[in-house]
Amino acid sequence: SQIELATMTRGPCLTDLVVGELPKNFECMLCFDIMEDAMILTCCGHSFCRGCSQRVRGIVSCPLCRTPLPTNASHPSPIQPNWFARQMINEVPLRCSYGKYRDKHAQRWMTFDNNSNNDCQGVARGMNVGMPSGIKVWSRCEPCTETVTVADRARHEASCPHAIIECPFKSRGCKYIGMRKDLHLHQAQCRPCPRCNQLVQAGGWGEHQKVCDMTEVCCRWEKYGCKGFRGPRKFLREHLNSCRFEAVAGTLEEMEERLAMLVAGQ
């Protein structure tokens, strides 16, 4: 099957990550995902996850049982944290979401099976692997095998070495996307020029210096006495337009060719 690793912006539902079976009363009755950061309606006792509770703010009754919510301005907010539910749900064990893949044919998130012949196993560095929204991965694909609790999930995934991340220099044009633990290998080859901020790949610094607009250069006729320019290459053309030596460039170049021939004939 076609495999897509979970990305930073799109991943499986938390219920797909639960190790074992999730008690039904731990599910949000609106989105049917884990009731993370549970909130409770004081008018009837129904609870929802924080995301759903924010979406139902401003309603006049419970979306499940239609019990009217208090309208008295002096009454405390009808939606309060459900501390008892949070304490129990926070201990539910989860797999890291970077240990899941999406089966395009089954249209669901499944646990990474190391025994299956999937597209991501053994992919060599530098190979392209299909990603959601047409994104490409430029590193090998390895699932995270960590098990964490609901309470620790966000902290773990914020530093998970298997997380799919982008190059910090994306805004400068770098297209790299790969696992966090491989980023240092990429950064050794992807550095911005300190002068012009253009990204330069490893081994390309010599060639870049020859064309970088911000590299300091002097007039090409300095050896003949021109002292009128020393500065960024992007301003060199402006100087040459008024350089008296450039006005006789043809004669000087012909003289250099003849001198080279004389030296070669010795």
Side-chain angles (χ1 to χ4, degrees), residues 2-58:
Q2 296 294 320
I3 307 298
E4 292 179 352
L5 288 181
T7 66
M8 293 181 296
T9 56
R10 196 174 91 181
C13 295
L14 294 185
T15 50
D16 292 335
L17 300 173
V18 174
V19 177
E21 187 173 348
L22 181 71
K24 292 296 291 184
N25 59 342
F26 286 2
E27 287 186 6
C28 173
M29 290 181 283
L30 293 182
C31 67
F32 302 105
D33 202 351
I34 290 180
M35 197 158 46
E36 194 172 21
D37 294 331
M39 304 292 287
I40 188 170
L41 291 179
T42 57
C43 63
C44 61
H46 282 130
S47 294
F48 313 103
C49 67
R50 177 180 289 276
C52 288
S53 68
Q54 291 175 343
R55 286 190 288 271
V56 301
R57 286 189 183 277

Side-chain angles (χ1 to χ4, degrees), residues 39-150:
M39 304 292 287
I40 188 170
L41 291 179
T42 57
C43 63
C44 61
H46 282 130
S47 294
F48 313 103
C49 67
R50 177 180 289 276
C52 288
S53 68
Q54 291 175 343
R55 286 190 288 271
V56 301
R57 286 189 183 277
I59 61 174
V60 297
S61 62
C62 172
L64 294 177
C65 65
R66 302 303 177 188
T67 299
L69 272 64
T71 57
N72 188 345
S74 63
H75 195 279
S77 172
I79 305 179
Q80 297 288 332
N82 189 337
W83 298 114
F84 179 69
R86 289 187 183 191
Q87 186 175 8
M88 293 189 296
I89 293 172
N90 279 345
E91 298 303 317
V92 172
L94 302 175
R95 299 181 186 89
C96 173
S97 66
Y98 296 109
K100 304 287 286 186
Y101 70 86
R102 184 173 178 80
D103 189 309
K104 288 184 178 178
H105 301 290
Q107 289 298 307
R108 66 190 179 92
W109 291 89
M110 303 173 68
T111 303
F112 213 112
D113 182 2
N114 287 325
N115 296 319
S116 63
N117 183 22
N118 57 66
D119 296 343
C120 286
Q121 278 188 301
V123 175
R125 188 178 311 283
M127 298 291 287
N128 289 343
V129 179
M131 291 289 293
S133 305
I135 294 174
K136 298 294 183 182
V137 174
W138 295 89
S139 67
R140 63 183 182 273
C141 304
E142 296 176 0
C144 179
T145 58
E146 291 290 326
T147 297
V148 296
T149 62
V150 170

Side-chain angles (χ1 to χ4, degrees), residues 190-225:
C190 175
R191 292 182 295 161
C193 172
R195 297 186 179 92
C196 68
N197 277 338
Q198 179 178 332
L199 288 179
V200 182
Q201 298 298 319
W205 284 97
E207 290 300 315
H208 176 72
Q209 292 295 324
K210 297 176 183 179
V211 299
C212 177
D213 282 342
M214 297 305 294
T215 296
E216 185 176 280
V217 296
C218 59
C219 177
R220 64 173 178 157
W221 306 120
E222 185 181 44
K223 58 186 175 181
Y224 293 118

